[in-house]
Amino acid sequence: DPVQARAESGVAIIGTAAVSLELLAPTGLLEVGKRATFQVRVKNKGTISAHNIDVTAFAPAELKATRAFGKAEGRIDAEGKATFPAIEELRPGEVVTFTIEAEAIQTGDGRIRAEVKAAELTAALKEEQPVRVIGR
């Protein structure tokens, strides 16, 4: 009599959200009185959606943030912090861009900073870019 065997196995495939942050700043020097545009790009490089994404940008003392916008208008407080309405869902492969417009108000070497928080992240993502402001 031939011997027969039968087996079954299950494999669970678990996806993950992989949120990334990129802060783009103009290169070179910025003169006092001139305007500059900064972009914050948030991408989900994962295989499932990311949720409750909060994006914040912080302008250094050398800059005065004048406008913040993306999917919706952002708010700018007196300290130069730009906050944007939370994104409920960021699907895999999706990229959202936020723009901060600023005016150079004083000379110096500053750093513009962006932070991203999401339900799937254990700590905020942070990135900085240098901003060199010179006199006229």
Side-chain angles (χ1 to χ4, degrees), residues 12-68:
I13 299 174
I14 301 172
T16 186
V19 179
S20 68
L21 163 65
E22 182 180 20
L23 176 59
L24 303 170
T27 59
L29 304 173
L30 184 60
E31 276 186 41
V32 170
K34 299 287 182 178
R35 293 185 175 272
T37 301
F38 303 87
Q39 288 189 333
V40 178
R41 291 188 186 153
V42 180
K43 182 175 183 176
N44 182 358
K45 296 179 179 181
T47 56
I48 63 171
S49 293
H51 299 90
N52 300 324
I53 296 116
D54 287 315
V55 177
T56 308
F58 303 86
E62 292 79 9
L63 300 176
K64 178 182 179 186
T66 56
R67 186 170 177 224

Side-chain angles (χ1 to χ4, degrees), residues 104-128:
I105 58 171
Q106 70 182 35
T107 61
D109 292 319
R111 294 196 168 271
I112 188 163
R113 182 169 47 103
E115 289 185 5
V116 173
K117 297 177 183 175
E120 291 78 9
L121 296 173
T122 57
L125 300 176
K126 298 177 184 181
E127 187 171 338
E128 290 184 342

Side-chain angles (χ1 to χ4, degrees), residues 1-7:
D1 291 324
V3 177
Q4 292 184 344
R6 182 175 175 186

Side-chain angles (χ1 to χ4, degrees), residues 83-107:
T83 55
F84 298 91
I87 299 170
E88 290 184 30
E89 179 182 20
L90 188 64
R91 292 188 175 99
E94 188 176 3
V95 178
V96 179
T97 302
F98 300 90
T99 302
I100 299 98
E101 294 176 351
E103 180 180 349
I105 58 171
Q106 70 182 35
T107 61

